Amino acid sequence: MRLRALLETDALGLRLLGGDEELDRSVRGVMTTDLRDPSRYLSGGELVLTGLAWHRDAKDSEPFVRILSGAGVAGLAAGEAELGAIPDDLIEACRHHRLPLFAVNETVAFATITEHVVRQVSGERAGDLAAVVDRHRRLMTSGPAGGGPEVVLDLLGSDLDLHAWVLSPTGRQIAGAGAPLSGPAGAELAGLHLAAVRSGRRAPHRATVDGVTYSLFPIRNHGRGAVPASRDVRESVLSDWLLAVEADAGDWSAARLDLLQGVTQLIAVERDRRDAARTVRRRLAQEVLELVQAGAPPTEIAARLRVAAPVLLPGLGSAPHWQVVVARVEWDEADAPGGTGSGIAGGPVAQALLEEILVDPAVTGPDSADRIAVAHTGDEAIALVPLPALSGARPEADEDGEEAAADDPALHADALLAAVRAPLSAGLADDGRLTLGVSAAVHSPEGLRGALEEARHARRVAAARPGRVCAAGHHELASHVLLLPFVPDDVRRAFTARLLDPLRDYDLRHRAELIPTLEAFLDCDGSWTRCAARLHLHVNTLRYRIGRIEQLTGRDLSRLEDKLDFFLALRMS
């Protein structure tokens, strides 16, 4: 706004005392001060309001006005409540430094002037930003110019004082201005957003994390190049980005809300460009996958991999090791609209989701998935993940069977879901499931077919577990644990009841602790001495308890078969 506009607003009660020729100066803010030297708080373009408490005698005016002029303020408005008439020495100092001077009637509060200036300046900035957004949209739509979403987020910060971040559906930061969000905060915001979308609430969604209020906007393209709205929100809820703004949009004007919607459409253009850039990687993965499933000769598969390696691992120089990850997203048909089945193609949903999951959550930016090739077939998504050359020595496994090494580049099933389980569970709500299987690393084309089958088997193991988001790794395929999820529930109940119910009943009546004794005995591999020491029992007491177990169940714990039956019953109970 211009200084001239202030004089035209009667409610402000301003009277011009000097500086007629400078009234076209732009006002970019307002600041109230009674400091002798307020320079540290000035950035230029302000209308400075003062009650003249700093004024003691005539010599104070010159240095005060000189400081304001040097800071580039737009004008000075002095209140008449403190001294009555504005001192002549102040009027002369302003005339000398060509600084417009206004007198503020004592009946007008500085807060009234401040509110008016802030409202006018904010509105103008919003209009300016809207024009920039529109220009930026045209640039990004016509080509790669424009600088990406960071440019618009910077404008939101500088012109509207809004801190904002673009987040993936798992909460990973894709773009932001200023300090980045912490990983846990991003994941929590993503989860709250997904839950709000699944509940059908209208955007923007209000969320509070760590005492800070955010407004969450879904990022969807509504322009000429937009994809038609999904028939079912579940088709896109697990792949849409979101804009998190550190503010409460509940009391925003319609103009400001429209502006933020324009920002989301602009970022959606960048999202579309990112997806288009993935086309080559997706096609490579699809070609390799089709060859592997068709049983093509290893030499033909190797040729395809040699083409894929430079695209997925630029500068590697040689074919890497590979891992296969299989994912499936399924929706309960009973919860679909009309109850006629979900009708949602699972493959594309799982493909977009797997591309996000395989990105390192610590990596920011929209193109951080440039080493991931994901294809889909039917309701299944399959990722071909290249790895840097693995060392010759295999890493040792931990107690749970997971291979662990500080420099091990291989993917591990549980680690993949650690940072994304909470937000994805919110998006899946009560009617969706994500299951994921990870193969071991292979170093030749001959191993890819086995790796694919291994990942598929591991995913089926994950699907047999409870929970909305489950994963299993290749190491679990070499364990008895593989068999347990596939035992029908009625068979489980009958098997465990036959072996363990007599012991539970006896424990309930006599407090004999036969079940804990049995668990400890098997855990000690049938060693009487070690088991007695663990339970702090005399060996004869332990022998008595084991004898009672054998008597009640008709089993012999000296036989391997009976030990195995008890072990499985305890694991399934």
Side-chain angles (χ1 to χ4, degrees):
M1 64 177 300
R2 306 289 182 182
L3 281 175
R4 191 180 305 279
L6 296 174
L7 287 175
E8 297 170 356
T9 306
D10 294 337
L12 299 183
L14 296 179
R15 188 172 75 258
L16 183 65
L17 300 180
D20 306 57
E21 68 281 3
E22 303 292 338
L23 290 180
D24 286 328
R25 290 187 182 186
S26 296
V27 179
R28 296 197 293 271
V30 62
M31 194 267 270
T32 300
T33 185
D34 275 313
L35 296 174
R36 289 176 179 272
D37 181 2
S39 58
R40 73 186 72 179
Y41 305 110
L42 298 172
S43 58
E46 296 92 348
L47 172 67
V48 175
L49 305 177
T50 180
L52 297 176
W54 51 268
H55 190 275
R56 295 291 184 268
D57 53 47
K59 67 177 184 297
D60 292 334
S61 294
E62 168 63 25
F64 180 78
V65 174
R66 185 173 64 249
I67 289 170
L68 299 188
S69 179
V73 303
L76 174 65
E80 296 178 326
E82 181 77 15
L83 301 178
I86 305 302
D88 291 338
D89 48 275
L90 179 59
I91 297 173
E92 177 58 27
C94 288
R95 184 197 62 77
H96 176 72
H97 289 281
R98 302 180 63 84
L99 181 66
L101 175 63
F102 302 89
V104 182
N105 190 283
E106 62 181 1
T107 63
V108 178
F110 281 179
T112 301
I113 300 174
T114 299
E115 181 181 354
H116 176 82
V117 172
V118 169
R119 185 168 58 249
Q120 294 298 317
V121 170
S122 295
E124 291 176 2
R125 285 181 176 175
D128 292 343
L129 180 57
V132 172
V133 167
D134 184 64
R135 183 173 67 253
H136 200 73
R137 180 187 295 112
R138 292 196 299 271
L139 285 171
M140 293 185 69
T141 304
S142 61
E150 287 84 358
V151 173
V152 181
L153 299 186
D154 284 337
L155 287 171
L156 286 176
S158 62
D159 284 15
L160 295 185
D161 197 26
L162 293 176
H163 302 290
W165 302 265
V166 178
L167 304 178
S168 77
T170 65
R172 181 177 60 87
Q173 182 173 316
I174 293 167
L181 280 175
S182 68
E188 187 171 353
L189 285 174
L192 292 171
H193 172 73
L194 290 172
V197 172
R198 288 304 314 274
S199 68
R201 287 162 45 199
R202 291 188 61 184
H205 308 125
R206 186 180 185 275
T208 302
V209 174
D210 297 331
V212 180
T213 299
Y214 300 87
S215 296
L216 309 178
F217 297 79
I219 294 177
R220 303 188 184 106
N221 187 3
H222 298 289
R224 288 184 299 174
V227 177
S230 298
R231 294 179 294 108
D232 192 318
V233 68
R234 294 176 295 182
E235 293 184 20
S236 60
V237 67
L238 295 177
S239 58
D240 283 344
W241 289 354
L242 68 135
L243 178 67
V245 182
E246 188 180 325
D248 187 348
D251 57 354
W252 283 5
S253 66
R256 178 166 287 206
L257 287 172
D258 287 345
L259 172 62
L260 266 293
Q261 293 297 341
V263 170
T264 64
Q265 292 175 34
L266 175 58
I267 298 171
V269 175
E270 175 67 16
R271 172 65 188 271
D272 292 343
R273 177 168 293 124
R274 192 285 308 262
D275 286 343
R278 284 186 171 178
T279 302
V280 173
R281 295 190 293 276
R282 288 174 172 175
R283 187 174 67 247
L284 288 172
Q286 194 72 43
E287 291 174 354
V288 173
L289 175 63
E290 290 173 355
L291 291 174
V292 170
Q293 294 189 122
T299 53
E300 188 174 353
I301 298 175
R304 292 289 187 187
L305 288 176
R306 281 194 295 273
V307 173
V311 175
L312 301 177
L313 285 179
L316 186 66
S318 61
H321 291 67
W322 304 89
Q323 273 184 287
V324 176
V325 182
V326 173
R328 192 181 185 100
V329 174
E330 298 171 292
W331 304 99
D332 295 343
E333 294 188 354
D335 294 324
T340 58
S342 68
I344 300 173
V349 177
Q351 180 183 44
L353 191 53
L354 191 52
E355 286 174 334
E356 171 61 26
I357 290 173
L358 291 174
V359 178
D360 183 348
V363 176
T364 61
D367 296 320
S368 54
D370 59 358
R371 289 176 47 183
I372 299 164
V374 183
H376 72 82
T377 174
D379 289 332
E380 188 179 63
I382 303 168
L384 187 65
V385 183
L387 302 172
L390 300 173
S391 59
R394 298 291 298 168
E396 295 183 359
D398 61 19
E399 292 180 357
D400 297 323
E402 280 279 10
E403 294 174 352
D407 57 351
D408 179 15
L411 301 175
H412 299 278
D414 290 338
L416 284 177
L417 296 181
V420 302
R421 180 173 275 108
L424 293 185
S425 295
L428 292 163
D430 296 328
D431 58 350
R433 284 200 83 205
L434 165 68
T435 52
L436 184 145
V438 182
S439 78
V442 296
H443 65 279
S444 67
E446 291 88 344
L448 279 178
R449 187 179 182 88
L452 176 59
E453 291 305 314
E454 191 173 56
R456 282 174 167 162
H457 282 306
R459 192 207 63 79
R460 284 193 283 270
V461 171
R465 295 172 174 166
R468 289 292 170 187
V469 180
C470 299
H474 60 90
H475 65 282
E476 298 181 64
L477 303 183
S479 168
H480 63 275
V481 177
L482 169 65
L483 303 175
L484 299 184
F486 299 100
V487 178
D489 288 343
D490 55 346
V491 176
R492 283 174 182 245
R493 287 191 292 269
F495 182 75
T496 58
R498 186 167 62 252
L499 281 176
L500 301 183
D501 279 3
L503 306 183
R504 293 192 179 106
D505 292 342
Y506 191 87
D507 280 347
L508 188 61
R509 293 196 308 270
H510 301 285
R511 299 182 181 179
E513 297 187 354
L514 295 185
I515 292 290
T517 300
L518 176 62
E519 291 176 328
F521 186 72
L522 294 175
D523 195 42
C524 292
D525 299 323
S527 170
W528 297 98
T529 304
R530 285 194 288 122
C531 183
R534 174 180 292 190
L535 296 175
H536 305 290
L537 298 174
H538 191 278
V539 172
N540 288 341
T541 303
L542 176 61
R543 290 185 185 276
Y544 172 80
R545 289 187 182 180
I546 296 298
R548 178 62 66 184
I549 291 172
E550 292 175 335
Q551 180 184 10
L552 291 170
T553 60
R555 298 299 186 107
D556 182 357
L557 278 166
S558 66
R559 299 178 67 246
L560 176 61
E561 293 87 345
D562 288 342
K563 286 180 181 177
L564 180 59
D565 282 350
F566 277 121
F567 175 79
L568 293 174
L570 289 168
R571 291 299 296 266
M572 289 190 294
S573 64

Short mmCIF file of all heavy atoms in Angstrom, two decimals, residues 15 17 52 55 78-88 90-91 103:
data_model
loop_
_atom_site.label_atom_id
_atom_site.label_comp_id
_atom_site.label_asym_id
_atom_site.label_seq_id
_atom_site.Cartn_x
_atom_site.Cartn_y
_atom_site.Cartn_z
N ARG A 15 -2.92 13.23 10.23
CA ARG A 15 -2.78 14.57 9.65
C ARG A 15 -1.35 14.74 9.17
O ARG A 15 -0.39 14.51 9.94
CB ARG A 15 -3.12 15.63 10.72
CG ARG A 15 -3.20 17.04 10.17
CD ARG A 15 -3.73 18.01 11.21
NE ARG A 15 -2.71 18.34 12.22
CZ ARG A 15 -2.66 17.82 13.44
NH1 ARG A 15 -3.57 16.92 13.82
NH2 ARG A 15 -1.72 18.18 14.29
N LEU A 17 2.04 16.37 8.31
CA LEU A 17 2.79 17.54 8.77
C LEU A 17 3.96 17.87 7.86
O LEU A 17 4.58 18.93 8.02
CB LEU A 17 3.32 17.30 10.19
CG LEU A 17 2.27 17.04 11.26
CD1 LEU A 17 2.95 16.83 12.61
CD2 LEU A 17 1.27 18.18 11.34
N LEU A 52 6.50 9.34 21.31
CA LEU A 52 7.42 10.44 21.63
C LEU A 52 7.96 10.37 23.06
O LEU A 52 8.46 11.37 23.59
CB LEU A 52 6.75 11.80 21.40
CG LEU A 52 6.34 12.10 19.95
CD1 LEU A 52 5.60 13.43 19.89
CD2 LEU A 52 7.56 12.11 19.05
N HIS A 55 11.50 11.63 23.43
CA HIS A 55 11.78 13.04 23.22
C HIS A 55 11.89 13.77 24.55
O HIS A 55 10.91 13.90 25.29
CB HIS A 55 10.67 13.67 22.35
CG HIS A 55 11.00 15.05 21.88
ND1 HIS A 55 10.77 16.18 22.64
CD2 HIS A 55 11.55 15.49 20.71
CE1 HIS A 55 11.15 17.25 21.97
NE2 HIS A 55 11.63 16.87 20.78
N ALA A 78 3.54 10.27 14.63
CA ALA A 78 3.77 10.61 16.02
C ALA A 78 2.45 10.90 16.71
O ALA A 78 1.61 11.65 16.20
CB ALA A 78 4.70 11.81 16.13
N GLY A 79 2.28 10.33 17.90
CA GLY A 79 1.06 10.52 18.65
C GLY A 79 1.06 11.85 19.41
O GLY A 79 2.09 12.32 19.88
N GLU A 80 -0.13 12.43 19.51
CA GLU A 80 -0.28 13.71 20.20
C GLU A 80 -0.65 13.55 21.67
O GLU A 80 -0.75 14.54 22.40
CB GLU A 80 -1.35 14.54 19.49
CG GLU A 80 -0.98 14.93 18.08
CD GLU A 80 -2.08 15.71 17.38
OE1 GLU A 80 -3.27 15.43 17.64
OE2 GLU A 80 -1.74 16.61 16.58
N ALA A 81 -0.84 12.31 22.14
CA ALA A 81 -1.30 12.10 23.51
C ALA A 81 -0.23 12.46 24.53
O ALA A 81 -0.53 12.93 25.62
CB ALA A 81 -1.73 10.64 23.69
N GLU A 82 1.06 12.25 24.22
CA GLU A 82 2.14 12.45 25.19
C GLU A 82 2.48 13.92 25.37
O GLU A 82 2.55 14.44 26.49
CB GLU A 82 3.38 11.68 24.73
CG GLU A 82 4.57 11.80 25.68
CD GLU A 82 4.44 10.94 26.91
OE1 GLU A 82 3.58 10.02 26.93
OE2 GLU A 82 5.19 11.18 27.87
N LEU A 83 2.74 14.63 24.24
CA LEU A 83 3.23 16.02 24.32
C LEU A 83 2.22 17.04 23.82
O LEU A 83 2.50 18.25 23.83
CB LEU A 83 4.51 16.16 23.49
CG LEU A 83 5.68 15.25 23.90
CD1 LEU A 83 6.86 15.47 22.97
CD2 LEU A 83 6.08 15.49 25.36
N GLY A 84 1.06 16.58 23.37
CA GLY A 84 0.10 17.52 22.78
C GLY A 84 0.50 17.78 21.34
O GLY A 84 0.48 16.89 20.49
N ALA A 85 0.92 18.97 21.01
CA ALA A 85 1.36 19.29 19.65
C ALA A 85 2.68 18.60 19.35
O ALA A 85 3.52 18.39 20.23
CB ALA A 85 1.50 20.81 19.50
N ILE A 86 2.89 18.24 18.08
CA ILE A 86 4.14 17.62 17.65
C ILE A 86 5.24 18.67 17.69
O ILE A 86 5.08 19.79 17.15
CB ILE A 86 4.00 17.04 16.23
CG1 ILE A 86 2.81 16.08 16.17
CG2 ILE A 86 5.28 16.33 15.81
CD1 ILE A 86 2.89 14.93 17.14
N PRO A 87 6.40 18.39 18.32
CA PRO A 87 7.46 19.40 18.45
C PRO A 87 7.95 19.90 17.09
O PRO A 87 8.08 19.13 16.14
CB PRO A 87 8.58 18.65 19.19
CG PRO A 87 7.88 17.53 19.89
CD PRO A 87 6.74 17.14 19.00
N ASP A 88 8.24 21.20 17.02
CA ASP A 88 8.72 21.79 15.78
C ASP A 88 10.05 21.19 15.35
O ASP A 88 10.33 21.06 14.15
CB ASP A 88 8.86 23.30 15.93
CG ASP A 88 7.52 24.00 16.07
OD1 ASP A 88 6.51 23.41 15.63
OD2 ASP A 88 7.49 25.12 16.61
N LEU A 90 11.03 18.17 15.64
CA LEU A 90 10.80 16.89 14.96
C LEU A 90 10.31 17.13 13.53
O LEU A 90 10.75 16.45 12.59
CB LEU A 90 9.78 16.05 15.74
CG LEU A 90 9.43 14.70 15.13
CD1 LEU A 90 10.66 13.82 14.98
CD2 LEU A 90 8.36 13.98 15.97
N ILE A 91 9.42 18.14 13.37
CA ILE A 91 8.94 18.47 12.03
C ILE A 91 10.10 18.92 11.14
O ILE A 91 10.21 18.51 9.97
CB ILE A 91 7.86 19.57 12.10
CG1 ILE A 91 6.65 19.06 12.89
CG2 ILE A 91 7.44 20.02 10.71
CD1 ILE A 91 5.59 20.14 13.16
N ALA A 103 0.74 13.27 12.13
CA ALA A 103 0.29 13.41 13.51
C ALA A 103 -0.89 12.48 13.71
O ALA A 103 -1.80 12.41 12.88
CB ALA A 103 -0.10 14.86 13.80
#
